[in-house]
Amino acid sequence: MKLFCNATSPFARKVRVALHEMGLAERVEEIITDPFAAAPPPELLAANPLSRIPTLITDEGLALPDSKLIIEWLQTTQHNRLPTESARWAAARRATIAEGILEAAVASVLEKRRPESIIYPAALDRLSHAIERALDMLELEANALGDPVAVPTVANLNTGIALAYLDLRMPYLNWRQRAPSLIEWFDAFAARPSMQATEPPAAK
Protein backbone atom coordinates (compact mmCIF):
# COMPACT_ATOMS: atom_id res chain seq x y z
CA MET A 1 0.00 0.00 0.00
CA LYS A 2 1.04 3.63 -0.42
CA LEU A 3 0.35 6.52 1.94
CA PHE A 4 0.76 10.10 0.77
CA CYS A 5 1.69 12.03 3.90
CA ASN A 6 4.20 14.40 5.43
CA ALA A 7 6.00 14.57 8.74
CA THR A 8 3.97 17.35 10.35
CA SER A 9 0.36 16.76 9.23
CA PRO A 10 -1.61 15.61 12.31
CA PHE A 11 -4.19 13.90 10.10
CA ALA A 12 -1.45 11.90 8.37
CA ARG A 13 0.16 11.14 11.71
CA LYS A 14 -3.12 9.76 13.02
CA VAL A 15 -3.13 7.21 10.19
CA ARG A 16 0.59 6.47 10.59
CA VAL A 17 0.15 5.78 14.32
CA ALA A 18 -2.86 3.56 13.59
CA LEU A 19 -0.82 1.58 11.07
CA HIS A 20 1.93 1.04 13.64
CA GLU A 21 -0.58 0.02 16.30
CA MET A 22 -2.20 -2.47 13.93
CA GLY A 23 1.12 -3.97 12.86
CA LEU A 24 0.69 -2.77 9.30
CA ALA A 25 3.37 -0.08 9.02
CA GLU A 26 5.79 -2.32 7.14
CA ARG A 27 3.15 -2.99 4.50
CA VAL A 28 2.81 0.69 3.64
CA GLU A 29 5.20 2.85 1.61
CA GLU A 30 5.12 6.41 2.92
CA ILE A 31 5.37 8.99 0.15
CA ILE A 32 6.34 12.35 1.64
CA THR A 33 4.29 14.95 -0.18
CA ASP A 34 3.58 18.68 -0.06
CA PRO A 35 -0.11 19.01 -1.00
CA PHE A 36 0.23 22.81 -1.05
CA ALA A 37 3.02 22.84 -3.64
CA ALA A 38 2.41 24.82 -6.81
CA ALA A 39 2.60 21.54 -8.73
CA PRO A 40 1.53 18.65 -6.47
CA PRO A 41 2.71 15.19 -7.56
CA PRO A 42 0.53 13.85 -10.40
CA GLU A 43 0.22 10.53 -8.55
CA LEU A 44 -1.40 12.31 -5.60
CA LEU A 45 -3.77 14.27 -7.83
CA ALA A 46 -4.76 11.09 -9.63
CA ALA A 47 -5.64 9.50 -6.28
CA ASN A 48 -7.12 12.61 -4.66
CA PRO A 49 -8.09 15.55 -6.87
CA LEU A 50 -8.50 17.69 -3.74
CA SER A 51 -4.70 17.42 -3.23
CA ARG A 52 -5.01 16.54 0.45
CA ILE A 53 -3.13 14.26 2.77
CA PRO A 54 -3.30 11.65 4.02
CA THR A 55 -4.38 9.62 1.01
CA LEU A 56 -4.00 5.84 1.10
CA ILE A 57 -3.82 3.65 -1.98
CA THR A 58 -4.66 0.08 -1.09
CA ASP A 59 -3.11 -3.06 -2.59
CA GLU A 60 -6.14 -3.23 -4.85
CA GLY A 61 -5.60 0.33 -6.09
CA LEU A 62 -8.48 1.86 -4.13
CA ALA A 63 -7.71 5.49 -3.22
CA LEU A 64 -8.95 6.62 0.20
CA PRO A 65 -8.69 10.44 0.53
CA ASP A 66 -9.38 11.18 4.21
CA SER A 67 -7.95 10.10 7.57
CA LYS A 68 -11.34 9.13 9.01
CA LEU A 69 -12.16 7.09 5.90
CA ILE A 70 -8.75 5.40 5.97
CA ILE A 71 -9.11 4.37 9.60
CA GLU A 72 -12.67 3.16 9.02
CA TRP A 73 -11.39 1.05 6.12
CA LEU A 74 -8.57 -0.33 8.23
CA GLN A 75 -11.00 -1.15 11.05
CA THR A 76 -13.34 -2.91 8.63
CA THR A 77 -10.93 -4.83 6.42
CA GLN A 78 -7.76 -5.58 8.37
CA HIS A 79 -7.37 -8.45 10.82
CA ASN A 80 -5.46 -6.47 13.48
CA ARG A 81 -8.12 -3.94 14.40
CA LEU A 82 -8.09 -1.17 16.94
CA PRO A 83 -10.52 -2.09 19.72
CA THR A 84 -14.09 -0.87 19.48
CA GLU A 85 -15.12 1.33 22.37
CA SER A 86 -17.69 -0.19 24.70
CA ALA A 87 -19.50 3.09 25.38
CA ARG A 88 -19.77 3.65 21.64
CA TRP A 89 -21.52 6.97 21.33
CA ALA A 90 -19.72 8.73 24.17
CA ALA A 91 -16.44 7.57 22.67
CA ALA A 92 -17.55 8.67 19.20
CA ARG A 93 -18.35 12.09 20.65
CA ARG A 94 -14.88 12.36 22.18
CA ALA A 95 -13.31 11.25 18.89
CA THR A 96 -15.25 13.94 17.02
CA ILE A 97 -14.35 16.66 19.52
CA ALA A 98 -10.66 15.74 19.33
CA GLU A 99 -10.87 15.72 15.53
CA GLY A 100 -12.37 19.20 15.76
CA ILE A 101 -9.33 20.37 17.72
CA LEU A 102 -7.13 19.14 14.89
CA GLU A 103 -9.22 20.86 12.24
CA ALA A 104 -9.29 24.16 14.14
CA ALA A 105 -5.56 24.04 14.86
CA VAL A 106 -4.64 23.34 11.24
CA ALA A 107 -6.99 26.11 10.08
CA SER A 108 -5.29 28.49 12.51
CA VAL A 109 -1.82 27.55 11.27
CA LEU A 110 -2.88 28.10 7.65
CA GLU A 111 -4.51 31.45 8.45
CA LYS A 112 -1.26 32.67 10.00
CA ARG A 113 0.63 31.78 6.84
CA ARG A 114 -1.33 34.32 4.84
CA PRO A 115 0.21 37.75 4.19
CA GLU A 116 -0.03 39.77 7.40
CA SER A 117 -2.22 42.38 5.72
CA ILE A 118 -5.03 39.87 5.08
CA ILE A 119 -4.84 37.72 8.22
CA TYR A 120 -8.24 37.79 9.88
CA PRO A 121 -7.73 38.08 13.68
CA ALA A 122 -11.39 37.40 14.42
CA ALA A 123 -11.09 34.02 12.70
CA LEU A 124 -8.01 33.18 14.74
CA ASP A 125 -9.80 34.13 17.95
CA ARG A 126 -12.79 31.99 17.02
CA LEU A 127 -10.56 28.99 16.30
CA SER A 128 -8.63 29.42 19.57
CA HIS A 129 -11.85 29.64 21.57
CA ALA A 130 -13.17 26.48 19.87
CA ILE A 131 -9.97 24.62 20.78
CA GLU A 132 -10.15 25.84 24.38
CA ARG A 133 -13.77 24.75 24.75
CA ALA A 134 -12.97 21.34 23.30
CA LEU A 135 -10.02 20.97 25.67
CA ASP A 136 -12.29 21.80 28.59
CA MET A 137 -14.66 19.02 27.56
CA LEU A 138 -11.87 16.47 27.16
CA GLU A 139 -10.43 17.51 30.51
CA LEU A 140 -13.75 16.74 32.21
CA GLU A 141 -13.80 13.31 30.55
CA ALA A 142 -10.11 12.51 30.98
CA ASN A 143 -10.84 9.44 33.12
CA ALA A 144 -12.93 7.96 30.30
CA LEU A 145 -9.86 7.80 28.05
CA GLY A 146 -8.66 4.79 30.00
CA ASP A 147 -5.25 3.16 29.88
CA PRO A 148 -2.87 5.14 27.63
CA VAL A 149 -0.60 2.12 27.14
CA ALA A 150 -3.38 -0.20 25.96
CA VAL A 151 -4.05 -0.46 22.23
CA PRO A 152 -5.72 2.90 21.55
CA THR A 153 -9.32 3.38 20.58
CA VAL A 154 -10.08 5.85 17.80
CA ALA A 155 -11.11 8.42 20.43
CA ASN A 156 -7.77 8.01 22.20
CA LEU A 157 -5.88 8.15 18.92
CA ASN A 158 -7.58 11.42 17.94
CA THR A 159 -7.00 12.90 21.39
CA GLY A 160 -3.33 11.99 21.51
CA ILE A 161 -2.63 13.35 18.03
CA ALA A 162 -4.57 16.55 18.76
CA LEU A 163 -2.59 17.27 21.93
CA ALA A 164 0.69 16.50 20.18
CA TYR A 165 -0.21 18.89 17.36
CA LEU A 166 -1.01 21.66 19.82
CA ASP A 167 2.47 21.13 21.30
CA LEU A 168 3.99 21.36 17.82
CA ARG A 169 2.10 24.27 16.30
CA MET A 170 0.29 26.14 19.07
CA PRO A 171 2.43 25.91 22.22
CA TYR A 172 1.28 29.40 23.20
CA LEU A 173 -2.12 27.94 24.09
CA ASN A 174 -0.40 26.04 26.92
CA TRP A 175 -2.99 23.27 26.96
CA ARG A 176 -1.38 21.61 29.99
CA GLN A 177 -2.30 24.56 32.18
CA ARG A 178 -5.87 24.34 30.93
CA ALA A 179 -6.18 20.55 31.08
CA PRO A 180 -3.98 19.20 33.89
CA SER A 181 -5.83 15.89 34.12
CA LEU A 182 -4.79 15.06 30.56
CA ILE A 183 -1.06 15.54 31.20
CA GLU A 184 -0.25 12.14 32.73
CA TRP A 185 -2.41 10.33 30.19
CA PHE A 186 -0.87 12.17 27.25
CA ASP A 187 2.72 11.79 28.42
CA ALA A 188 2.24 8.02 28.59
CA PHE A 189 0.46 7.99 25.22
CA ALA A 190 3.20 10.09 23.62
CA ALA A 191 5.79 7.53 24.74
CA ARG A 192 4.15 4.76 22.71
CA PRO A 193 6.48 3.32 20.04
CA SER A 194 4.01 4.34 17.33
CA MET A 195 4.12 7.96 18.48
CA GLN A 196 7.89 7.94 18.75
CA ALA A 197 8.21 6.46 15.25
CA THR A 198 6.05 9.24 13.75
CA GLU A 199 7.46 12.17 15.75
CA PRO A 200 7.44 15.25 13.47
CA PRO A 201 10.41 17.63 13.22
CA ALA A 202 10.39 20.74 15.37
CA ALA A 203 8.07 23.44 14.12
CA LYS A 204 9.61 26.19 12.04
Side-chain angles (χ1 to χ4, degrees), residues 63-74:
L64 302 171
D66 175 82
S67 62
K68 288 178 284 188
L69 182 61
I70 292 168
I71 289 179
E72 182 179 357
W73 181 83
L74 291 170

Side-chain angles (χ1 to χ4, degrees), residues 16 19 30-31 34 40 68 104-105 130 145 150 153 171 191 197 202:
R16 293 167 68 212
L19 289 168
E30 292 187 357
I31 302 173
D34 180 3
K68 288 178 284 188
L145 291 171
T153 64

Side-chain angles (χ1 to χ4, degrees), residues 4 31-46 48-52:
F4 291 95
I31 302 173
I32 303 301
T33 305
D34 180 3
F36 300 107
E43 192 177 5
L44 171 63
L45 296 181
N48 186 349
L50 298 174
S51 187
R52 292 180 181 173

Side-chain angles (χ1 to χ4, degrees), residues 37-202:
E43 192 177 5
L44 171 63
L45 296 181
N48 186 349
L50 298 174
S51 187
R52 292 180 181 173
I53 56 173
T55 294
L56 180 73
I57 301 178
T58 71
D59 289 330
E60 297 76 26
L62 175 65
L64 302 171
D66 175 82
S67 62
K68 288 178 284 188
L69 182 61
I70 292 168
I71 289 179
E72 182 179 357
W73 181 83
L74 291 170
Q75 288 275 74
T76 303
T77 65
Q78 303 304 303
H79 178 68
N80 295 320
R81 301 182 183 182
L82 302 176
T84 301
E85 296 89 341
S86 56
R88 178 181 177 187
W89 296 112
R93 176 174 173 267
R94 282 192 299 277
T96 301
I97 293 297
E99 182 87 6
I101 291 176
L102 280 180
E103 291 169 351
V106 169
S108 182
V109 169
L110 293 178
E111 179 69 21
K112 289 181 178 179
R113 290 181 179 173
R114 301 173 69 186
E116 187 174 353
S117 61
I118 60 172
I119 289 177
Y120 189 35
L124 292 174
D125 289 344
R126 183 177 184 276
L127 292 167
S128 292
H129 293 327
I131 292 170
E132 290 169 349
R133 289 192 299 269
L135 284 169
D136 290 344
M137 194 217 83
L138 291 176
E139 171 72 1
L140 290 173
E141 300 184 15
N143 288 339
L145 291 171
D147 187 353
V149 300
V151 177
T153 64
V154 174
N156 289 14
L157 182 62
N158 286 6
T159 301
I161 297 299
L163 296 176
Y165 192 71
L166 292 181
D167 277 345
L168 178 70
R169 294 297 192 192
M170 302 180 75
Y172 53 86
L173 285 183
N174 195 8
W175 69 263
R176 285 175 175 79
Q177 185 173 1
R178 191 174 195 94
S181 296
L182 290 175
I183 296 173
E184 184 177 357
W185 180 89
F186 173 73
D187 286 346
F189 186 89
R192 299 181 68 85
S194 59
M195 291 290 283
Q196 295 294 308
T198 60
E199 182 75 21

